[in-house]
Amino acid sequence: LLQAIDYTSDQRLDCKGRPDRPALYQPAALGGAPETTGPTTIATIGPATLVLLDLPRLTTAQDSPLLLVAMAGGNDVWPGGALLRSLDDGASFDQPLDVFPPGATLGSTGAALGVVDSRVVDTSSRLTVTLSSGSLASVTRALMFSGANHFAYGEDGRWEVIAAANCTLIGGNDYVLTDLLRGVAGTEWAMGLHVDGDRLVALNTDDLASLPMETAALNQARLYRAVTFGLDVSTGILRTQTWRGVQFKPLSPCSLTGDRDTATGDWLLYWVRRTRMGSAWNDYVDAQLGESVESYWVEIYQDWTYAVVLRTIVSSSTFAAYTSAQQVADFGGNQTTLYLRIYQYSTTVGTGYSLTTEITRP
């Protein structure tokens, strides 16, 4: 039945009415059985977790400047996300890459690991991990030595690269990692810097993205945020990252030895260089240099505190002389004990990691 007619300002008639016979408008359709069964709860699509990894060179893919990007959601329905970057302190953002599911395997660790001998498999340490995304599985030692089950352990500026043969599920998303390789890729310097709750990121190249960088961006702070597809940009936590080009930093030299001439007081110092290029250890074949030039800096310190540098000696080979005349100028007399830091030099990023040690000769 027609109940009212209104004349609108645009010359239309707005008619209102009600059914004359309500029974004619009752639905007669019947619902069918559902095609699927199971929980009816719809999982929430949450924000993305982002970890930017400034790591040593692990594969040939890192021969060009880049940051490794680990991104993941909090559940299996995460649709992927976009990485946003600002080069002008937040005034504008670009979108250099997208990450698609399943994303990276991320977690937080329990009690911090201590310092061990990085030259052998660590069979005594146990690292507990609670994953927020992904899963883990054990591998043979042979596969571990070949690159399987490698992880970044720590935080930016103190990443240690480790590997684990055994990843044992103990309940829920909790695992225990044992039979470990520590200080992989020259990261033994970070072993003593861990704290409880450090981050763990699986270095599976299939689950990580690569963000190309330019050498002009070295040591420049940039703003980044990860935004899950379909969510507002404000859901991505804004963070600052400084790319230091760790992939180009030479590893610390090792095996320092030396001779002191008791007649003249002159020192001759010798060391062994290491390479970041991942060379195999072959008889009668030197490891790849990995740098455009071979250069080392030897810093002579005043005492065991390593606070005051008295002299820096630059050498183009793996030995250096520290003469009696130099010792007299630096200390006022000849020295039977020296406190040293030795670095290999890179024309791209400057000094690498140091060998910090002392040496005594009568």
Side-chain angles (χ1 to χ4, degrees), residues 46-304:
T49 299
L50 172 67
V51 184
L52 298 173
L53 298 164
D54 193 1
L55 294 179
R57 181 189 182 276
L58 301 172
T59 69
T60 55
Q62 291 171 279
D63 288 341
S64 58
L66 58 85
L67 270 172
L68 293 176
V69 179
M71 190 189 302
N75 52 41
D76 294 338
V77 299
W78 183 67
L83 178 69
L84 305 183
R85 173 186 60 186
S86 176
L87 306 179
D88 51 16
D89 201 25
S92 63
F93 284 83
D94 65 346
Q95 185 173 325
L97 60 83
D98 296 332
V99 176
F100 299 96
T105 297
L106 307 175
S108 59
T109 61
L113 295 182
V115 177
V116 299
D117 188 341
S118 62
R119 297 171 297 177
V120 297
V121 175
D122 178 9
T123 59
S124 60
S125 297
R126 294 165 53 90
L127 181 64
T128 59
V129 181
T130 299
L131 294 184
S132 59
S133 61
S135 61
L136 301 177
S138 298
V139 297
T140 64
R141 283 195 179 185
L143 287 174
M144 178 179 69
F145 293 141
S146 299
N149 271 14
H150 279 56
F151 305 90
Y153 169 42
E155 288 288 353
D156 183 52
R158 54 178 182 84
W159 290 114
E160 179 191 356
V161 178
I162 69 172
N166 297 325
C167 301
T168 305
L169 181 65
I170 57 175
N173 296 317
D174 296 335
Y175 291 80
V176 172
L177 276 54
T178 56
D179 275 10
L180 306 175
L181 289 180
R182 301 288 307 279
V184 177
T187 59
E188 70 282 344
W189 59 270
M191 284 196 289
L193 304 178
H194 295 299
V195 299
D196 297 353
D198 266 350
R199 194 186 297 273
L200 190 84
V201 182
L203 299 179
N204 184 339
T205 55
D206 293 337
D207 297 336
L208 301 178
S210 297
L211 177 63
M213 305 293 287
E214 298 179 354
T215 53
L218 276 168
N219 301 314
Q220 301 296 314
R222 299 285 188 257
L223 293 176
Y224 298 88
R225 72 191 333 156
V227 181
T228 296
F229 293 144
L231 296 186
D232 188 85
V233 67
S234 62
T235 61
I237 298 175
L238 196 63
R239 56 173 299 168
T240 302
Q241 178 86 17
T242 299
W243 179 57
R244 301 176 182 86
V246 172
Q247 66 196 95
F248 298 116
K249 288 179 73 71
L251 307 189
S252 62
C254 63
S255 303
L256 175 71
T257 188
D259 299 312
R260 178 177 176 272
D261 190 322
T262 56
T264 64
D266 294 342
W267 278 89
L268 284 179
L269 303 168
Y270 307 88
W271 58 89
V272 176
R273 69 170 173 84
R274 297 194 291 168
T275 179
R276 60 183 180 83
M277 300 304 289
S279 300
W281 195 350
N282 297 319
D283 291 339
Y284 312 113
V285 179
D286 284 341
Q288 297 181 59
L289 178 61
E291 311 299 331
S292 58
V293 297
E294 185 170 10
S295 180
Y296 305 90
W297 290 13
V298 181
E299 293 179 342
I300 310 293
Y301 283 81
Q302 185 177 57
D303 54 33
W304 59 271

